[in-house]
């Protein structure tokens, strides 16, 4: 048998995105939107028709966690009197009645969910209509539905307790959740529900207020036992890691099946014996739902054989490692990619084919109906393994021979040289790199990409933008200037497009949140930098001013974490190659006279493993790669890094070990509380905490920023502090950026005056 955990819902051509945005803009009606959604579901079920079940309720207008919050009536007080789609989108996007719920990353993926807010005064009530409609839609089309539902423990564990006692809230929520299940049970004689419980992969945890309820063995057993007792075919599925501790608990209930990820959670094999000894069906996640490479069916068959050496064949269902939400829809529309590389790639639709073939091969052998598919698959995998495109000897040699792994002068000596040469004052002012990306600028880049604008005209346009940026920064008297990043569409794509070993799809969109999609670069081969990527623009910008111009790069860990990465090497090996490419760029910049270079590691934290026992290893190589990329910097070249968050408590030692001369971080929204950890650990390197929040169009007053700087000075001394806004100026308008930065510089000057 075969099934999947979930399918992408955005549509082959991002139909859902377009419909949602039209609906929000008042350009289409609710029923237009509903019709688009219905068509998409139909199309997506059609693609799954050869599976034993089609997924129902994996569809969502915005997010599945939000769907469940809504189905349980878990709405924040401020939206209580809103209903229907209005109330639903209010939680996702905000409303005149109040701000949106927070959004955060779904485990270690790039998908964001809406964080439910729970409170002791809430009254929860199950609401099944939406789910019921979709179920009946699938039935009417003749499919066997399997309902995808977020498990109670994961839902509760990921929520935010706005007010009250977690235990009391959990009890109320549980009762509404079980009511919802009762309603679902009425849909059919034998309903199948697959409960997603990825929170179980964290092992036993006690680091949140909810943890005592989430990791309560007794509660887990009780809830799933009672669901199974309702006559529901109950499958509990975990993904993104192994869940051995919790699998053991689940096996003590009378649920029907257990779904495990054998890609990201290879250690799940340790539970096979226990599953064999139970009567449970194993939903074996063998097709990778997180990455885009063609599966190696021969090796999948071997894995299946080792599984069925323990668990009888009839108790094994072949499935995906997680929902296919994390990969693009299909590759039908890719006409520009190198055809061989394209043949190595498998998006969601192609993965369904792999599942179909794997099931048949497993059942009927390699000489059955799927023989041709199997042979072709073997050829593709062999070609990929031996292709020159994936093996660049020069790169491999360079990585293995590289000895330049950290800067040769210690920070305390470097910083003296830098301060001397660069001559910047205490509380030096700068920005994080980008300036407003205007519609004209976007049109310029797009026109150039499409060949409608000549190279000369494009370059003239970019230069003009840089001139304006420099002029403005000089006018307001910032200390360290930036060129504004007008040539960049995206901080990873810009580098990926210039590096060997990367390809880009035309239509490989993956949902990031709501209607927002990203098109991650694909790293297929060894990474090399054929020529300088940023040098000309930075030198041009520097030529316009006597002030210091900061070079701007994206770090190796961030490039890795925001790409689809080849799976025939370890992530750390790929990251090392990227690190050396970035090192070359740093070297070119410093040889060109650039004195300060910022290496952004916006996504450093996102790569952290889900299980505590793997964190050390990630930190080891991620840190090493960052250091390899910056080791080439001479003592008098100042290296900055930047991270888009403020919570450093757990990772401060790693941040310190990165050995960047200056780190800019996001603090405006969290105040200086979180900064204290820098003081507590005796952090000596320089720090630039964001002094105003750029996420809002509001212009901060000089006084407000003065107060903020004074608050920072209570935590860190003036010699250690840089003053900058949070990151993301590219998302704002010039009318907002100009007065805000002007006020920031004025505030710094006022504070400096009082310090003398
Ligand atoms: N230098 C980048 C910018 O200012 C950093 C972006 C980020 O931190 N995400 O846009
Ligand atoms: Zn940032």
């Amino acid at each position: 048998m075969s099934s999947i955990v979930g399918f992408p819902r955005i549509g082959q051509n991002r139909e859902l995105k377009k419909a949602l945005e039209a609906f929000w803009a008042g350009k289409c009606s609710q029923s237009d939107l509903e019709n688009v959604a219905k068509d998409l579901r139909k199309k997506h079920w059609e693609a799954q028709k050869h599976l034993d079940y089609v997924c129902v309720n994996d569809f969502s207008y915005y997010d599945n966690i939000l769907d469940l919050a809504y189905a349980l009536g878990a709405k924040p007080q401020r939206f209580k009197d809103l209903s229907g789609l209005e109330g639903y989108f209010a939680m996702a996007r905000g409303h005149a009645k109040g701000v949106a719920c927070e959004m955060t990353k779904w485990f270690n993926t790039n998908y964001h969910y809406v964080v439910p807010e729970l409170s002791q005064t809430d009254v929860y009530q199950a609401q099944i209509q939406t789910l019921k409609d979709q179920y009946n839609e699938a039935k009417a089309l003749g499919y066997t539905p399997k309902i995808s539902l977020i498990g109670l423990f994961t839902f509760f564990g990921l929520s935010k307790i706005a007010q009250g006692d977690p235990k009391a809230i959990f009890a109320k929520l549980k009762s509404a959740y079980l009511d919802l299940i009762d309603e679902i049970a009425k849909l059919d004689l034998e309903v199948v529900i697959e409960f997603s419980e990825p929170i179980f992969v964290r092992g036993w945890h006690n680091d949140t207020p909810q943890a005592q309820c989430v990791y309560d063995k007794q509660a887990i057993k009780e809830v799933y036992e009672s669901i199974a007792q309702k006559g529901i075919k109950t499958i509990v599925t975990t993904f993104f890691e192994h869940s051995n501790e919790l699998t053991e608990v689940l096996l003590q209930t009378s649920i029907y099946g257990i779904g495990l990820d054998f890609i990201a959670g290879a250690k799940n094999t340790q539970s096979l014996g226990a599953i064999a000894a139970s009567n449970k069906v194993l939903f074996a996640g063998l097709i990778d739902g997180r990455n885009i490479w063609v599966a190696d069916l021969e090796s999948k068959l071997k894995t299946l054989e080792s599984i069925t050496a323990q668990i009888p064949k009839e108790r094994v269902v072949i499935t995906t490692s997680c929902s296919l939400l994390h990969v693009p829809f299909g590759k039908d529309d890719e006409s520009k990619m190198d055809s061989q590389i394209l043949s190595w790639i498998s998006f969601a639709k192609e993965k369904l084919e792999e599942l179909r073939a794997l099931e048949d091969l497993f059942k009927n052998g390699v000489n059955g109906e799927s023989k041709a598919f199997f042979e072709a698959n073997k050829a593709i995998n062999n070609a990929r393994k031996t292709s020159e495109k994936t093996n660049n000897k020069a790169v491999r040699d360079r990585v293995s021979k590289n000895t330049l792994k950290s800067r040769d002068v210690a920070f305390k000596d470097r910083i003296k040289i830098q301060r001397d040469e660069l001559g910047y004052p205490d509380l030096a002012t700068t920005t994080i790199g980008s300036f407003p990306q205007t519609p004209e600028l976007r049109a310029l880049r797009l026109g150039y990409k499409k060949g409608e604008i000549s190279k000369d005209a494009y370059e003239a346009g970019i230069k003009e933008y840089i001139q304006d940026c420099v002029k403005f920064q000089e006018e307001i008297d910032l200390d360290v200037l930036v060129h504004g990043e007008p040539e960049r569409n995206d901080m990873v794509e810009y580098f990926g497009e210039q590096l060997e070993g990367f390809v880009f799809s035309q239509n490989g969109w993956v949902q990031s949140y709501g209607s927002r999609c990203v098109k991650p670069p694909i790293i297929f081969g060894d990474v090399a930098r054929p020529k300088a990527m940023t040098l000309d623009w930075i030198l041009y910008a520097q030529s316009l001013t006597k002030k210091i111009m900061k070079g701007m790069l994206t770090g190796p860990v961030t490039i890795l974490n925001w790409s689809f990465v080849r799976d025939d090497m370890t992530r750390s090996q790929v990251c090392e190659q990227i690190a050396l490419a970035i090192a070359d760029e740093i070297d070119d910049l410093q040889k060109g006279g650039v004195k300060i270079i910022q290496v952004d590691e916006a996504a450093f934290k996102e790569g952290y493993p889900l299980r505590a026992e793997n964190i050390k290893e990630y930190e080891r190589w991620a840190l090493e790669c960052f250091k390899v990329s910056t080791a080439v910097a001479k003592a008098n070249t100042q290296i900055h890094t930047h991270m888009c968050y403020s919570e450093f408590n757990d990772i401060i030692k790693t941040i310190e070990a990165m050995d960047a001369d200056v780190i800019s971080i996001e603090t405006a929204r969290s105040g200086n509380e979180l900064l204290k950890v820098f003081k507590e650990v005796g952090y000596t390197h320089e720090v630039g905490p964001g002094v105003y929040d750029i996420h809002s169009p509001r212009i901060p007053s000089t006084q407000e920023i003065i107060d903020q700087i004074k608050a920072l000075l209570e935590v860190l001394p003036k010699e250690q502090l840089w003053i900058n806004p949070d990151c993301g100026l590219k998302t704002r308008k010039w009318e907002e950026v100009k007065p805000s930065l002007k006020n920031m510089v004025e505030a710094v000057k006022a504070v400096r005056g009082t310090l003398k």
Side-chain angles (χ1 to χ4, degrees), residues 458-477:
Y458 166 74
E459 289 183 352
I462 297 288
K463 282 184 175 171
E464 200 180 314
Y465 183 98
I466 295 176
Q467 286 160 22
D468 291 344
C469 279
V470 171
K471 191 161 156 263
F472 161 66
Q473 294 173 90
E474 285 194 326
E475 266 164 25
I476 61 163
D477 201 18

Side-chain angles (χ1 to χ4, degrees), residues 432 491 562 598 600-603 642-645 664-666 695 726-728:
I432 308 303
M491 64 187 286
W562 280 344
Q598 179 172 311
D600 284 327
E601 281 294 14
H642 161 74
M643 295 191 184
C644 311
Y645 27 82
S664 60
I665 58 175
E666 188 165 307
H695 298 90
D726 279 349
C727 70

Side-chain angles (χ1 to χ4, degrees), residues 579-632:
L580 286 170
I582 299 297
D584 290 346
E585 189 72 15
I586 293 183
D587 202 27
D588 279 345
L589 287 168
Q590 73 182 352
K591 282 183 181 142
V594 179
K595 294 286 177 199
I596 299 188
I597 301 165
Q598 179 172 311
V599 182
D600 284 327
E601 281 294 14
F604 190 87
K605 212 171 156 182
E606 290 174 27
Y608 268 70
L610 297 172
R611 297 189 69 100
E613 66 266 27
N614 300 328
I615 288 178
K616 260 213 167 89
E617 174 59 7
Y618 171 74
E619 286 181 330
R620 184 193 60 73
W621 65 255
L623 179 63
E624 184 176 308
C625 289
F626 181 82
K627 287 174 71 183
V628 164
S629 73
T630 50
V632 54

Side-chain angles (χ1 to χ4, degrees), residues 492-565:
V492 170
E493 189 180 62
Y494 179 75
F495 291 92
E497 278 177 342
Q498 301 184 72
L499 289 167
E500 279 174 14
F502 283 73
V503 279
F504 289 83
S505 62
Q506 281 159 275
N507 202 31
W509 296 100
V510 178
Q511 194 174 11
S512 170
Y513 64 88
S515 65
R516 250 307 244 284
C517 300
V518 292
K519 205 167 56 168
I522 297 169
I523 306 178
F524 68 90
D526 289 340
V527 178
R529 187 199 72 141
K531 61 178 189 354
M533 303 180 283
T534 65
L535 185 65
D536 290 347
W537 292 126
I538 303 297
L539 291 187
Y540 174 71
Q542 182 68 80
S543 75
L544 302 171
T545 180
K546 290 204 165 50
K547 292 205 160 193
I548 308 164
M549 179 60 59
K550 182 158 70 164
M552 196 58 62
L553 305 175
T554 301
V557 183
T558 296
I559 293 181
L560 184 90
N561 284 343
W562 280 344
S563 300
F564 283 122
V565 181

